[in-house]
Amino acid sequence: MKGENVMLAVKDLEVYYGSIHAIKKISFEVREGEIVTLIGANGAGKTTTLHAISGLVKARSGEINFCGNNLRSMEAHKIIRLGLAQVPEGRRIFASMTVQENLEMGAYIRRDREQIQQDYERVFERLPRLKERRRQIAGTLSGGEQQMLAIGRALMSNPKMLLLDEPSMGLSPLLVSEIFKIIRDVNESGMTVLLVEQNAKQALEIADRAYVLETGTISMSGDASELATDEKVRAAYLGGAQ
Ligand SMILES: Nc1ncnc2c1ncn2[C@@H]1O[C@H](COP(=O)(O)OP(=O)(O)OP(=O)(O)O)[C@@H](O)[C@H]1O
Ligand SMILES: [Mg+2]
Protein backbone atom coordinates (compact mmCIF):
# COMPACT_ATOMS: atom_id res chain seq x y z
CA MET A 1 0.00 0.00 0.00
CA LYS A 2 1.17 3.49 0.81
CA GLY A 3 4.85 4.06 0.30
CA GLU A 4 5.84 0.73 -1.24
CA ASN A 5 6.11 1.43 -4.94
CA VAL A 6 7.76 4.50 -6.35
CA MET A 7 5.30 6.00 -8.82
CA LEU A 8 7.19 9.12 -9.86
CA ALA A 9 10.96 9.42 -9.67
CA VAL A 10 12.73 12.63 -10.64
CA LYS A 11 16.50 12.42 -10.77
CA ASP A 12 19.02 15.23 -11.32
CA LEU A 13 16.46 17.32 -13.18
CA GLU A 14 17.74 20.54 -14.71
CA VAL A 15 15.68 23.18 -16.48
CA TYR A 16 16.90 26.36 -18.13
CA TYR A 17 14.93 29.26 -19.55
CA GLY A 18 17.53 30.65 -21.92
CA SER A 19 20.44 31.43 -19.64
CA ILE A 20 18.32 31.29 -16.45
CA HIS A 21 19.08 28.10 -14.54
CA ALA A 22 15.63 27.61 -13.00
CA ILE A 23 16.01 24.02 -11.74
CA LYS A 24 19.41 22.79 -10.64
CA LYS A 25 19.69 19.02 -10.49
CA ILE A 26 16.83 18.20 -8.18
CA SER A 27 15.84 14.67 -7.21
CA PHE A 28 12.70 13.51 -5.46
CA GLU A 29 10.15 10.75 -5.56
CA VAL A 30 6.49 10.13 -4.94
CA ARG A 31 5.35 6.69 -3.86
CA GLU A 32 2.01 5.10 -4.52
CA GLY A 33 -0.70 6.38 -2.19
CA GLU A 34 1.30 9.28 -0.78
CA ILE A 35 0.71 13.00 -0.62
CA VAL A 36 4.09 14.57 -1.22
CA THR A 37 4.42 18.32 -1.01
CA LEU A 38 7.02 20.51 -2.65
CA ILE A 39 7.10 23.79 -0.74
CA GLY A 40 8.92 26.95 -1.67
CA ALA A 41 8.69 30.70 -2.01
CA ASN A 42 7.83 32.76 -5.10
CA GLY A 43 10.15 31.95 -7.95
CA ALA A 44 11.68 28.88 -6.27
CA GLY A 45 10.88 26.75 -9.32
CA LYS A 46 7.75 24.90 -8.21
CA THR A 47 5.69 25.45 -11.35
CA THR A 48 8.72 24.80 -13.55
CA THR A 49 9.19 21.42 -11.84
CA LEU A 50 5.57 20.45 -12.44
CA HIS A 51 5.75 21.65 -16.04
CA ALA A 52 8.86 19.57 -16.65
CA ILE A 53 7.03 16.50 -15.34
CA SER A 54 3.91 17.10 -17.43
CA GLY A 55 5.89 17.91 -20.56
CA LEU A 56 5.06 21.63 -20.78
CA VAL A 57 8.70 22.68 -20.46
CA LYS A 58 11.73 20.76 -21.67
CA ALA A 59 14.30 19.51 -19.19
CA ARG A 60 17.95 20.16 -20.08
CA SER A 61 19.07 16.98 -18.32
CA GLY A 62 18.00 14.42 -15.75
CA GLU A 63 15.44 11.65 -15.60
CA ILE A 64 11.71 11.64 -14.99
CA ASN A 65 10.16 8.23 -14.58
CA PHE A 66 6.44 7.68 -14.04
CA CYS A 67 5.11 4.14 -13.56
CA GLY A 68 8.03 2.74 -15.52
CA ASN A 69 7.77 5.26 -18.37
CA ASN A 70 10.50 7.71 -19.22
CA LEU A 71 8.73 11.08 -19.48
CA ARG A 72 11.67 13.07 -20.74
CA SER A 73 11.06 14.15 -24.30
CA MET A 74 7.56 12.65 -24.23
CA GLU A 75 4.82 14.98 -25.47
CA ALA A 76 2.39 16.46 -22.97
CA HIS A 77 -0.71 14.80 -24.49
CA LYS A 78 0.93 11.38 -24.17
CA ILE A 79 1.89 12.06 -20.56
CA ILE A 80 -1.75 12.82 -19.67
CA ARG A 81 -2.72 9.47 -21.17
CA LEU A 82 -0.30 7.69 -18.84
CA GLY A 83 -2.44 8.87 -15.94
CA LEU A 84 -0.80 12.07 -14.78
CA ALA A 85 -3.26 14.95 -14.39
CA GLN A 86 -2.27 18.50 -13.57
CA VAL A 87 -4.36 21.11 -11.77
CA PRO A 88 -2.63 24.26 -13.01
CA GLU A 89 -1.65 27.34 -11.07
CA GLY A 90 -4.44 29.92 -11.23
CA ARG A 91 -6.95 27.12 -12.03
CA ARG A 92 -7.23 27.82 -15.79
CA ILE A 93 -10.77 26.60 -16.09
CA PHE A 94 -12.65 27.26 -19.34
CA ALA A 95 -14.41 30.42 -18.19
CA SER A 96 -17.07 30.64 -20.91
CA MET A 97 -18.12 27.00 -20.58
CA THR A 98 -20.46 25.55 -17.98
CA VAL A 99 -19.28 23.51 -15.02
CA GLN A 100 -20.53 20.36 -16.73
CA GLU A 101 -18.69 21.19 -19.97
CA ASN A 102 -15.46 21.80 -18.06
CA LEU A 103 -15.76 18.36 -16.50
CA GLU A 104 -16.44 16.87 -19.94
CA MET A 105 -13.20 18.46 -21.17
CA GLY A 106 -11.40 16.65 -18.38
CA ALA A 107 -12.66 13.33 -19.73
CA TYR A 108 -11.78 14.04 -23.36
CA ILE A 109 -9.00 11.44 -23.52
CA ARG A 110 -11.37 8.69 -22.41
CA ARG A 111 -13.62 6.37 -24.37
CA ASP A 112 -15.21 4.40 -21.52
CA ARG A 113 -18.56 6.21 -21.61
CA GLU A 114 -20.29 4.26 -18.84
CA GLN A 115 -17.41 4.65 -16.45
CA ILE A 116 -17.27 8.37 -17.25
CA GLN A 117 -20.91 8.73 -16.16
CA GLN A 118 -20.09 7.06 -12.87
CA ASP A 119 -17.10 9.32 -12.42
CA TYR A 120 -19.28 12.44 -12.87
CA GLU A 121 -21.38 11.20 -9.99
CA ARG A 122 -18.27 10.51 -7.89
CA VAL A 123 -16.88 13.97 -8.61
CA PHE A 124 -20.23 15.54 -7.71
CA GLU A 125 -20.41 13.51 -4.50
CA ARG A 126 -16.98 14.73 -3.56
CA LEU A 127 -17.63 18.29 -4.69
CA PRO A 128 -21.34 18.86 -4.01
CA ARG A 129 -21.06 22.59 -4.67
CA LEU A 130 -20.31 21.78 -8.29
CA LYS A 131 -23.37 19.60 -8.61
CA GLU A 132 -25.68 22.46 -7.67
CA ARG A 133 -23.89 24.61 -10.22
CA ARG A 134 -23.44 22.17 -13.06
CA ARG A 135 -25.13 24.47 -15.56
CA GLN A 136 -23.48 27.66 -14.32
CA ILE A 137 -20.90 29.41 -16.51
CA ALA A 138 -17.57 28.55 -14.92
CA GLY A 139 -16.22 32.11 -15.10
CA THR A 140 -18.95 33.22 -12.70
CA LEU A 141 -17.95 30.74 -9.98
CA SER A 142 -16.18 32.03 -6.88
CA GLY A 143 -12.44 31.46 -6.58
CA GLY A 144 -12.90 28.47 -4.29
CA GLU A 145 -15.51 26.93 -6.57
CA GLN A 146 -13.21 27.42 -9.56
CA GLN A 147 -10.46 25.58 -7.69
CA MET A 148 -12.89 22.75 -6.95
CA LEU A 149 -13.80 22.65 -10.62
CA ALA A 150 -10.14 22.51 -11.64
CA ILE A 151 -9.69 19.54 -9.30
CA GLY A 152 -12.89 17.91 -10.55
CA ARG A 153 -11.81 18.36 -14.15
CA ALA A 154 -8.44 16.71 -13.44
CA LEU A 155 -10.19 13.80 -11.70
CA MET A 156 -12.35 13.28 -14.79
CA SER A 157 -9.29 12.06 -16.69
CA ASN A 158 -9.25 9.16 -14.21
CA PRO A 159 -5.58 9.70 -13.36
CA LYS A 160 -3.18 7.61 -11.30
CA MET A 161 -1.57 10.74 -9.90
CA LEU A 162 -2.69 14.31 -9.38
CA LEU A 163 -0.27 17.22 -9.64
CA LEU A 164 -1.59 20.35 -7.92
CA ASP A 165 0.03 23.75 -8.38
CA GLU A 166 -0.74 26.05 -5.44
CA PRO A 167 -4.41 25.21 -4.98
CA SER A 168 -4.59 27.58 -1.99
CA MET A 169 -3.60 30.64 -4.03
CA GLY A 170 -5.88 33.60 -3.48
CA LEU A 171 -8.33 31.77 -1.23
CA SER A 172 -9.51 32.72 2.24
CA PRO A 173 -8.20 30.56 5.13
CA LEU A 174 -11.56 28.86 5.48
CA LEU A 175 -11.65 27.91 1.80
CA VAL A 176 -8.04 26.78 1.91
CA SER A 177 -9.02 24.35 4.66
CA GLU A 178 -11.94 23.16 2.57
CA ILE A 179 -9.78 22.61 -0.53
CA PHE A 180 -7.12 20.80 1.49
CA LYS A 181 -9.76 18.57 3.03
CA ILE A 182 -10.92 17.67 -0.48
CA ILE A 183 -7.32 16.85 -1.46
CA ARG A 184 -6.97 14.65 1.59
CA ASP A 185 -10.27 12.87 0.88
CA VAL A 186 -9.24 12.26 -2.72
CA ASN A 187 -5.94 10.85 -1.45
CA GLU A 188 -7.70 8.64 1.08
CA SER A 189 -9.74 7.12 -1.71
CA GLY A 190 -6.45 5.96 -3.25
CA MET A 191 -5.14 8.85 -5.35
CA THR A 192 -1.43 9.64 -5.24
CA VAL A 193 -0.79 13.39 -4.97
CA LEU A 194 2.09 15.76 -5.63
CA LEU A 195 1.14 19.08 -4.07
CA VAL A 196 3.13 22.22 -4.81
CA GLU A 197 2.51 24.99 -2.27
CA GLN A 198 3.66 28.24 -0.77
CA ASN A 199 1.22 27.65 2.06
CA ALA A 200 3.68 25.43 3.89
CA LYS A 201 1.73 25.17 7.09
CA GLN A 202 -1.36 23.54 5.66
CA ALA A 203 0.53 21.57 3.03
CA LEU A 204 2.69 19.99 5.73
CA GLU A 205 -0.43 19.15 7.72
CA ILE A 206 -1.92 16.96 5.00
CA ALA A 207 1.27 15.59 3.38
CA ASP A 208 3.15 12.41 4.21
CA ARG A 209 6.51 13.70 3.04
CA ALA A 210 7.88 17.03 1.91
CA TYR A 211 10.70 18.65 -0.04
CA VAL A 212 11.74 22.27 0.34
CA LEU A 213 12.66 23.99 -2.93
CA GLU A 214 14.90 27.07 -2.72
CA THR A 215 15.96 28.88 -5.89
CA GLY A 216 16.01 25.72 -7.95
CA THR A 217 17.54 23.30 -5.45
CA ILE A 218 16.08 21.03 -2.81
CA SER A 219 17.41 22.26 0.50
CA MET A 220 15.56 19.92 2.85
CA SER A 221 13.38 16.84 2.75
CA GLY A 222 11.74 14.44 5.14
CA ASP A 223 8.52 13.41 6.79
CA ALA A 224 6.05 16.29 6.65
CA SER A 225 5.46 16.14 10.40
CA GLU A 226 9.20 16.41 11.05
CA LEU A 227 9.67 19.34 8.67
CA ALA A 228 6.72 21.11 10.29
CA THR A 229 8.63 21.24 13.57
CA ASP A 230 12.06 21.95 12.05
CA GLU A 231 13.45 25.30 13.22
CA LYS A 232 14.71 26.36 9.78
CA VAL A 233 11.43 25.49 8.09
CA ARG A 234 9.49 27.27 10.79
CA ALA A 235 11.58 30.38 10.50
CA ALA A 236 11.51 30.54 6.71
CA TYR A 237 8.07 29.19 5.80
CA LEU A 238 5.85 29.10 8.85
CA GLY A 239 6.25 32.66 10.04
CA GLY A 240 8.60 31.83 12.90
CA ALA A 241 7.36 30.46 16.22
CA GLN A 242 3.82 29.12 16.08
N1 LIG B 1 8.85 31.14 -19.31
C1 LIG B 1 9.85 31.61 -18.57
N2 LIG B 1 10.87 32.30 -19.11
C2 LIG B 1 11.90 32.76 -18.35
N3 LIG B 1 11.99 32.56 -17.02
C3 LIG B 1 11.00 31.87 -16.43
C4 LIG B 1 9.88 31.37 -17.16
N4 LIG B 1 9.05 30.75 -16.29
C5 LIG B 1 9.63 30.86 -15.09
N5 LIG B 1 10.80 31.54 -15.15
C6 LIG B 1 11.72 31.82 -14.06
O1 LIG B 1 12.06 30.61 -13.42
C7 LIG B 1 12.08 30.74 -12.01
C8 LIG B 1 11.12 29.74 -11.38
O2 LIG B 1 9.79 30.12 -11.71
P1 LIG B 1 8.52 29.24 -11.30
O3 LIG B 1 7.34 29.82 -11.97
O4 LIG B 1 8.82 27.81 -11.52
O5 LIG B 1 8.47 29.52 -9.73
P2 LIG B 1 7.37 29.13 -8.66
O6 LIG B 1 8.09 28.47 -7.53
O7 LIG B 1 6.27 28.39 -9.29
O8 LIG B 1 6.87 30.58 -8.16
P3 LIG B 1 5.40 31.07 -7.71
O9 LIG B 1 5.23 30.61 -6.30
O10 LIG B 1 5.50 32.54 -7.80
O11 LIG B 1 4.40 30.48 -8.64
C9 LIG B 1 11.75 32.20 -11.73
O12 LIG B 1 12.94 32.89 -11.55
C10 LIG B 1 11.02 32.65 -12.98
O13 LIG B 1 11.21 34.03 -13.23
MG1 LIG C 1 4.31 28.77 -9.54
Side-chain angles (χ1 to χ4, degrees):
M1 283 310 305
K2 204 172 206 170
E4 278 181 11
N5 301 319
V6 174
M7 202 173 224
L8 176 72
V10 172
K11 193 159 180 290
D12 296 333
L13 177 72
E14 284 196 285
V15 180
Y16 283 80
Y17 293 109
S19 60
I20 298 169
H21 199 180
I23 299 295
K24 304 163 189 163
K25 284 198 184 262
I26 65 167
S27 301
F28 64 94
E29 60 185 38
V30 183
R31 301 180 198 136
E32 200 174 331
E34 285 188 311
I35 299 183
V36 169
T37 186
L38 197 59
I39 55 176
N42 278 124
K46 304 182 298 297
T47 298
T48 301
T49 303
L50 288 191
H51 282 179
I53 294 167
S54 54
L56 298 175
V57 304
K58 270 211 171 339
R60 172 76 61 91
S61 63
E63 290 166 31
I64 305 170
N65 192 289
F66 175 66
C67 297
N69 299 280
N70 176 8
L71 302 191
R72 266 212 50 216
S73 68
M74 194 182 282
E75 291 163 41
H77 67 97
K78 291 193 178 134
I79 293 173
I80 293 177
R81 284 183 164 78
L82 292 176
L84 203 53
Q86 188 162 346
V87 181
E89 185 175 279
R91 355 244 190 250
R92 304 273 172 84
I93 50 143
F94 301 107
S96 58
M97 293 184 182
T98 64
V99 166
Q100 176 85 33
E101 286 163 348
N102 268 271
L103 293 176
E104 283 166 10
M105 292 302 285
Y108 81 98
I109 60 167
R110 300 172 58 185
R111 294 286 171 270
D112 47 338
R113 288 289 141 204
E114 273 176 30
Q115 186 64 41
I116 290 173
Q117 281 311 320
Q118 288 177 21
D119 284 356
Y120 279 128
E121 295 315 314
R122 277 186 28 207
V123 165
F124 284 140
E125 256 169 48
R126 202 166 261 147
L127 306 163
R129 288 216 222 172
L130 293 186
K131 186 167 191 173
E132 298 157 21
R133 295 170 173 79
R134 62 203 296 172
R135 286 180 233 295
Q136 190 170 328
I137 298 296
T140 66
L141 296 172
S142 73
E145 290 159 0
Q146 290 190 16
Q147 186 62 62
M148 289 174 201
L149 179 55
I151 293 171
R153 185 181 59 184
L155 290 175
M156 284 308 299
S157 70
N158 195 22
K160 295 192 181 87
M161 186 187 290
L162 210 50
L163 307 179
L164 294 137
D165 194 348
E166 292 201 53
S168 75
M169 193 197 273
L171 302 183
S172 68
L174 205 64
L175 266 172
V176 174
S177 299
E178 198 175 329
I179 293 290
F180 278 40
K181 185 176 179 308
I182 290 166
I183 295 168
R184 190 171 8 207
D185 287 349
V186 168
N187 170 254
E188 277 172 3
S189 70
M191 183 73 63
T192 306
V193 175
L194 176 58
L195 169 66
V196 153
E197 262 299 340
Q198 274 195 65
N199 187 333
K201 186 171 189 297
Q202 277 173 297
L204 291 173
E205 275 171 17
I206 65 164
D208 297 294
R209 293 186 306 109
Y211 296 85
V212 178
L213 193 60
E214 271 178 42
T215 54
T217 53
I218 287 173
S219 58
M220 274 186 274
S221 63
D223 285 345
S225 55
E226 283 169 21
L227 284 189
T229 57
D230 182 279
E231 280 310 316
K232 275 184 282 177
V233 174
R234 291 172 69 114
Y237 299 100
L238 302 176
Q242 281 190 29

